[in-house]
PDB file of all heavy atoms in Angstrom:
ATOM      1  N   ASP A1578     -31.254 -13.648 -20.293  1.00 95.00           N
ATOM      2  CA  ASP A1578     -30.394 -13.695 -19.099  1.00 95.00           C
ATOM      3  C   ASP A1578     -29.017 -14.264 -19.451  1.00 95.00           C
ATOM      4  O   ASP A1578     -27.994 -13.807 -18.934  1.00 95.00           O
ATOM      5  CB  ASP A1578     -31.044 -14.544 -18.011  1.00 95.00           C
ATOM      6  CG  ASP A1578     -32.235 -13.849 -17.364  1.00 95.00           C
ATOM      7  OD1 ASP A1578     -32.363 -12.617 -17.517  1.00 95.00           O
ATOM      8  OD2 ASP A1578     -33.051 -14.549 -16.727  1.00 95.00           O
ATOM      9  N   LEU A1579     -28.998 -15.267 -20.332  1.00 95.00           N
ATOM     10  CA  LEU A1579     -27.721 -15.854 -20.750  1.00 95.00           C
ATOM     11  C   LEU A1579     -26.838 -14.821 -21.446  1.00 95.00           C
ATOM     12  O   LEU A1579     -25.607 -14.867 -21.329  1.00 95.00           O
ATOM     13  CB  LEU A1579     -27.957 -17.041 -21.682  1.00 95.00           C
ATOM     14  CG  LEU A1579     -28.625 -18.291 -21.105  1.00 95.00           C
ATOM     15  CD1 LEU A1579     -28.820 -19.340 -22.191  1.00 95.00           C
ATOM     16  CD2 LEU A1579     -27.800 -18.867 -19.956  1.00 95.00           C
ATOM     17  N   THR A1580     -27.447 -13.905 -22.180  1.00 95.00           N
ATOM     18  CA  THR A1580     -26.645 -12.923 -22.924  1.00 95.00           C
ATOM     19  C   THR A1580     -25.915 -11.962 -22.008  1.00 95.00           C
ATOM     20  O   THR A1580     -24.980 -11.287 -22.440  1.00 95.00           O
ATOM     21  CB  THR A1580     -27.536 -12.117 -23.890  1.00 95.00           C
ATOM     22  OG1 THR A1580     -28.464 -11.303 -23.134  1.00 95.00           O
ATOM     23  CG2 THR A1580     -28.299 -13.025 -24.832  1.00 95.00           C
ATOM     24  N   GLU A1581     -26.330 -11.887 -20.754  1.00 95.00           N
ATOM     25  CA  GLU A1581     -25.672 -10.989 -19.790  1.00 95.00           C
ATOM     26  C   GLU A1581     -24.964 -11.792 -18.701  1.00 95.00           C
ATOM     27  O   GLU A1581     -24.783 -11.317 -17.587  1.00 95.00           O
ATOM     28  CB  GLU A1581     -26.703 -10.057 -19.157  1.00 95.00           C
ATOM     29  CG  GLU A1581     -27.363  -9.128 -20.160  1.00 95.00           C
ATOM     30  CD  GLU A1581     -28.399  -8.210 -19.520  1.00 95.00           C
ATOM     31  OE1 GLU A1581     -29.103  -8.681 -18.590  1.00 95.00           O
ATOM     32  OE2 GLU A1581     -28.480  -7.038 -19.928  1.00 95.00           O
ATOM     33  N   GLY A1582     -24.550 -12.998 -19.052  1.00 95.00           N
ATOM     34  CA  GLY A1582     -23.985 -13.908 -18.078  1.00 95.00           C
ATOM     35  C   GLY A1582     -22.475 -13.894 -18.011  1.00 95.00           C
ATOM     36  O   GLY A1582     -21.819 -12.848 -18.079  1.00 95.00           O
ATOM     37  N   ARG A1583     -21.895 -15.073 -17.934  1.00 96.00           N
ATOM     38  CA  ARG A1583     -20.467 -15.223 -17.685  1.00 96.00           C
ATOM     39  C   ARG A1583     -19.602 -14.748 -18.843  1.00 96.00           C
ATOM     40  O   ARG A1583     -18.532 -14.182 -18.632  1.00 96.00           O
ATOM     41  CB  ARG A1583     -20.173 -16.693 -17.346  1.00 96.00           C
ATOM     42  CG  ARG A1583     -20.753 -17.124 -15.999  1.00 96.00           C
ATOM     43  CD  ARG A1583     -20.782 -18.638 -15.851  1.00 96.00           C
ATOM     44  NE  ARG A1583     -21.209 -19.041 -14.515  1.00 96.00           N
ATOM     45  CZ  ARG A1583     -22.477 -19.092 -14.120  1.00 96.00           C
ATOM     46  NH1 ARG A1583     -23.451 -18.768 -14.968  1.00 96.00           N
ATOM     47  NH2 ARG A1583     -22.782 -19.475 -12.885  1.00 96.00           N
ATOM     48  N   LEU A1584     -20.039 -14.986 -20.085  1.00 96.00           N
ATOM     49  CA  LEU A1584     -19.254 -14.515 -21.229  1.00 96.00           C
ATOM     50  C   LEU A1584     -19.160 -12.996 -21.222  1.00 96.00           C
ATOM     51  O   LEU A1584     -18.094 -12.422 -21.496  1.00 96.00           O
ATOM     52  CB  LEU A1584     -19.878 -14.998 -22.532  1.00 96.00           C
ATOM     53  CG  LEU A1584     -19.762 -16.490 -22.829  1.00 96.00           C
ATOM     54  CD1 LEU A1584     -20.592 -16.852 -24.071  1.00 96.00           C
ATOM     55  CD2 LEU A1584     -18.305 -16.893 -23.045  1.00 96.00           C
ATOM     56  N   ALA A1585     -20.261 -12.336 -20.924  1.00 95.00           N
ATOM     57  CA  ALA A1585     -20.236 -10.879 -20.835  1.00 95.00           C
ATOM     58  C   ALA A1585     -19.335 -10.439 -19.687  1.00 95.00           C
ATOM     59  O   ALA A1585     -18.576  -9.468 -19.816  1.00 95.00           O
ATOM     60  CB  ALA A1585     -21.641 -10.338 -20.648  1.00 95.00           C
ATOM     61  N   GLY A1586     -19.395 -11.178 -18.557  1.00 95.00           N
ATOM     62  CA  GLY A1586     -18.544 -10.841 -17.427  1.00 95.00           C
ATOM     63  C   GLY A1586     -17.072 -10.987 -17.731  1.00 95.00           C
ATOM     64  O   GLY A1586     -16.238 -10.254 -17.173  1.00 95.00           O
ATOM     65  N   LEU A1587     -16.726 -11.916 -18.628  1.00 94.00           N
ATOM     66  CA  LEU A1587     -15.338 -12.098 -19.041  1.00 94.00           C
ATOM     67  C   LEU A1587     -14.915 -11.100 -20.114  1.00 94.00           C
ATOM     68  O   LEU A1587     -13.756 -11.089 -20.525  1.00 94.00           O
ATOM     69  CB  LEU A1587     -15.125 -13.525 -19.571  1.00 94.00           C
ATOM     70  CG  LEU A1587     -15.221 -14.659 -18.541  1.00 94.00           C
ATOM     71  CD1 LEU A1587     -15.244 -16.020 -19.245  1.00 94.00           C
ATOM     72  CD2 LEU A1587     -14.052 -14.582 -17.561  1.00 94.00           C
ATOM     73  N   GLY A1588     -15.861 -10.297 -20.573  1.00 93.00           N
ATOM     74  CA  GLY A1588     -15.553  -9.327 -21.615  1.00 93.00           C
ATOM     75  C   GLY A1588     -15.442  -9.932 -23.002  1.00 93.00           C
ATOM     76  O   GLY A1588     -14.848  -9.328 -23.903  1.00 93.00           O
ATOM     77  N   LEU A1589     -16.028 -11.122 -23.206  1.00 94.00           N
ATOM     78  CA  LEU A1589     -15.911 -11.798 -24.494  1.00 94.00           C
ATOM     79  C   LEU A1589     -17.072 -11.502 -25.440  1.00 94.00           C
ATOM     80  O   LEU A1589     -16.947 -11.692 -26.651  1.00 94.00           O
ATOM     81  CB  LEU A1589     -15.815 -13.314 -24.288  1.00 94.00           C
ATOM     82  CG  LEU A1589     -14.584 -13.800 -23.514  1.00 94.00           C
ATOM     83  CD1 LEU A1589     -14.622 -15.314 -23.366  1.00 94.00           C
ATOM     84  CD2 LEU A1589     -13.302 -13.378 -24.211  1.00 94.00           C
ATOM     85  N   VAL A1590     -18.220 -11.081 -24.898  1.00 94.00           N
ATOM     86  CA  VAL A1590     -19.345 -10.718 -25.743  1.00 94.00           C
ATOM     87  C   VAL A1590     -19.940  -9.392 -25.279  1.00 94.00           C
ATOM     88  O   VAL A1590     -19.816  -9.018 -24.111  1.00 94.00           O
ATOM     89  CB  VAL A1590     -20.452 -11.802 -25.750  1.00 94.00           C
ATOM     90  CG1 VAL A1590     -19.906 -13.151 -26.203  1.00 94.00           C
ATOM     91  CG2 VAL A1590     -21.113 -11.916 -24.386  1.00 94.00           C
ATOM     92  N   THR A1591     -20.586  -8.690 -26.213  1.00 94.00           N
ATOM     93  CA  THR A1591     -21.341  -7.478 -25.919  1.00 94.00           C
ATOM     94  C   THR A1591     -22.815  -7.846 -25.914  1.00 94.00           C
ATOM     95  O   THR A1591     -23.343  -8.298 -26.936  1.00 94.00           O
ATOM     96  CB  THR A1591     -21.072  -6.405 -26.983  1.00 94.00           C
ATOM     97  OG1 THR A1591     -19.681  -6.123 -27.019  1.00 94.00           O
ATOM     98  CG2 THR A1591     -21.847  -5.138 -26.671  1.00 94.00           C
ATOM     99  N   PRO A1592     -23.514  -7.658 -24.794  1.00 95.00           N
ATOM    100  CA  PRO A1592     -24.901  -8.124 -24.701  1.00 95.00           C
ATOM    101  C   PRO A1592     -25.830  -7.549 -25.755  1.00 95.00           C
ATOM    102  O   PRO A1592     -26.695  -8.254 -26.282  1.00 95.00           O
ATOM    103  CB  PRO A1592     -25.322  -7.706 -23.284  1.00 95.00           C
ATOM    104  CG  PRO A1592     -24.035  -7.685 -22.507  1.00 95.00           C
ATOM    105  CD  PRO A1592     -23.006  -7.177 -23.485  1.00 95.00           C
ATOM    106  N   GLY A1593     -25.698  -6.262 -26.089  1.00 95.00           N
ATOM    107  CA  GLY A1593     -26.647  -5.623 -27.003  1.00 95.00           C
ATOM    108  C   GLY A1593     -26.788  -6.335 -28.341  1.00 95.00           C
ATOM    109  O   GLY A1593     -27.898  -6.759 -28.717  1.00 95.00           O
ATOM    110  N   PRO A1594     -25.702  -6.495 -29.106  1.00 95.00           N
ATOM    111  CA  PRO A1594     -25.819  -7.206 -30.391  1.00 95.00           C
ATOM    112  C   PRO A1594     -26.268  -8.660 -30.240  1.00 95.00           C
ATOM    113  O   PRO A1594     -26.999  -9.172 -31.085  1.00 95.00           O
ATOM    114  CB  PRO A1594     -24.394  -7.128 -30.963  1.00 95.00           C
ATOM    115  CG  PRO A1594     -23.781  -5.947 -30.295  1.00 95.00           C
ATOM    116  CD  PRO A1594     -24.367  -5.913 -28.917  1.00 95.00           C
ATOM    117  N   LEU A1595     -25.863  -9.293 -29.149  1.00 95.00           N
ATOM    118  CA  LEU A1595     -26.279 -10.669 -28.934  1.00 95.00           C
ATOM    119  C   LEU A1595     -27.779 -10.729 -28.663  1.00 95.00           C
ATOM    120  O   LEU A1595     -28.488 -11.610 -29.183  1.00 95.00           O
ATOM    121  CB  LEU A1595     -25.499 -11.283 -27.771  1.00 95.00           C
ATOM    122  CG  LEU A1595     -25.781 -12.741 -27.420  1.00 95.00           C
ATOM    123  CD1 LEU A1595     -25.638 -13.644 -28.638  1.00 95.00           C
ATOM    124  CD2 LEU A1595     -24.866 -13.217 -26.295  1.00 95.00           C
ATOM    125  N   GLN A1596     -28.287  -9.799 -27.881  1.00 95.00           N
ATOM    126  CA  GLN A1596     -29.720  -9.770 -27.603  1.00 95.00           C
ATOM    127  C   GLN A1596     -30.523  -9.483 -28.871  1.00 95.00           C
ATOM    128  O   GLN A1596     -31.608 -10.039 -29.076  1.00 95.00           O
ATOM    129  CB  GLN A1596     -30.010  -8.724 -26.535  1.00 95.00           C
ATOM    130  CG  GLN A1596     -29.499  -9.122 -25.167  1.00 95.00           C
ATOM    131  CD  GLN A1596     -29.512  -7.982 -24.160  1.00 95.00           C
ATOM    132  OE1 GLN A1596     -29.799  -6.825 -24.521  1.00 95.00           O
ATOM    133  NE2 GLN A1596     -29.215  -8.291 -22.909  1.00 95.00           N
TER     134      GLN A1596
END
Side-chain angles (χ1 to χ4, degrees):
D1578 287 343
L1579 293 178
T1580 66
E1581 297 180 323
R1583 291 165 174 81
L1584 289 173
L1587 292 170
L1589 297 179
V1590 302
T1591 302
L1595 182 53
Q1596 290 168 353

